[in-house]
Each structure stands twice: as C-alpha cells, then as structure tokens.
Amino acid sequence: ARAAQSSIARLSCPRELVDKVCEWVPLVEFLRVWTATCVQYSLEWYTQRVFDCVVVVPDEIASINVAINRLAKQGVGFGKGLVLVRPGVYAESVRVTQNCHIVGLGPPDKVIIEAPGWESALVSAGLGGRFVPSLLGWESLTSGEDACVENITFRCRNESMRGRCVYIVMGRLLLLRCRVDGGVVVS
C-alpha cells in the first residue's frame, strides 16, 4: 500500500483529479488500457475508488443472483456495487434488481449464463421507481433500472425460449460487449 501511495504521489495530476477521472472509466477499459500502461494502478486500486462493494463469483459466492442480493443487504449506494464473474457456465436466470455493474472476467464466450428450463437468461427487473426511494426516505434502495452488464454471453437451454433470452421489464439496462444467443424483449 505504501508503494502504491508513493507512486501515486509522483503523478503530475492531483490525486483527487485522478480519483474523479477513474469514476468515468469503464471497468473493462480500465483493465485493458490503464493496467497495461500504469503499473501503480491495479484492479484493487480501481475498485476501492469506484465501488462501495465488490463480490467475486464463484470465489466468494457461487451464484450471481446471490451476489446481487448481497449488494442490497450491504446497502450499496446508487450503481456502486460490482459483481465480477469468473469464466465458467452458470446455470441460472439472472435477475438484476440492483443498480450495479456485473462484469465477466476473461473473453465473453468463456463467461456464459445459461437459463434453465423456461426462463430467460437475464431479466432486468427495474421496478419503475427511480425517484420513489428518495421520496420515501429509502435512499439506499435501488431497483435495477440503471444496471450495467458487461462481457458476458447469455443463452437459453430451452430452444423455445431463444426468442426471449434477455427480458427487460423496465429501466435502462446497459449491455456492453455481451453476446446474446437468442432474442431480446423489451416491455
């Protein structure tokens, strides 16, 4: 930690400015560019400055849905939770109910969410209440309307569900560098 602090102190920009700039750099872009060119910036350095809570699947928790629920239990603020998903096939239907970032580590074709049975692989369940929590005094409650999912492949095991592989109920789910083997339904 001391070595990281001393290398940050040698920057020509004030530390507060570097911290603010990092908030606007997407995670995959940070990993691709910054860590390759700036030794003093690690994934841990970045996540400590940008996210209130980081959960790694399956290292800490076996399920992506349970990881999303952990963000809710810890009272993570608006969009400040990160779920990192290691390569593998995850047999679950992911329900995004928190404003968070879900990022697949590694190539997108190596991080696969495959829906079991008659379910969609990804459901964005925005509750339609972006401003309701603050009106009711529940500032820590988020509803998944402004979530971001990045670098993951989604597919349905059941051939009949391929037309509804990703289902966006409400909100502004952002899919970046994702592969969807099937259709996307927005209602």
Side-chain angles (χ1 to χ4, degrees):
R2 182 176 277 241
Q5 289 175 350
S6 64
S7 57
I8 291 171
R10 289 186 298 227
L11 292 173
S12 59
C13 297
R15 182 180 178 149
E16 298 81 26
L17 179 61
V18 173
D19 288 349
K20 288 294 180 190
V21 168
C22 283
E23 292 177 14
W24 296 97
V25 177
L27 177 67
V28 172
E29 191 68 21
F30 174 82
L31 291 173
R32 190 174 65 78
V33 178
W34 284 43
T35 57
T37 58
C38 304
V39 179
Q40 68 264 31
Y41 302 115
S42 65
L43 175 61
E44 183 180 357
W45 179 88
Y46 175 83
T47 57
Q48 287 176 350
R49 279 154 182 75
V50 177
F51 297 101
D52 292 340
C53 179
V54 179
V55 181
V56 181
V57 176
D59 296 1
E60 298 172 38
I61 295 179
S63 163
I64 298 167
N65 285 317
V66 174
I68 294 169
N69 291 337
R70 178 187 271 188
L71 299 178
K73 287 179 184 172
Q74 293 189 354
V76 174
F78 187 81
K80 290 294 188 177
L82 173 64
V83 177
L84 295 173
V85 184
R86 293 208 184 273
V89 177
Y90 299 86
E92 62 181 299
S93 177
V94 174
R95 307 275 191 237
V96 180
T97 56
Q98 293 295 308
N99 294 332
C100 62
H101 288 47
I102 304 169
V103 179
L105 297 173
D109 62 335
K110 301 294 182 198
V111 181
I112 300 167
I113 297 173
E114 185 174 67
W118 290 91
E119 300 180 50
S120 299
L122 175 66
V123 177
S124 174
L127 303 174
R130 183 173 286 119
F131 302 108
V132 172
S134 60
L135 293 173
L136 297 175
W138 302 337
E139 283 77 15
S140 65
L141 176 71
T142 63
S143 61
E145 292 182 345
D146 295 310
C148 177
V149 180
E150 190 167 358
N151 209 42
I152 297 176
T153 296
F154 297 96
R155 66 183 185 207
C156 293
R157 185 175 298 153
N158 188 326
E159 191 68 36
S160 299
M161 287 302 292
R162 296 270 164 118
R164 205 177 75 168
C165 190
V166 173
Y167 184 36
I168 302 173
V169 177
M170 189 176 291
R172 301 181 300 185
L173 178 68
L174 181 60
L175 294 172
L176 297 172
R177 290 179 282 283
C178 289
R179 178 177 171 191
V180 179
D181 292 342
V184 176
V185 175
V186 179
S187 63

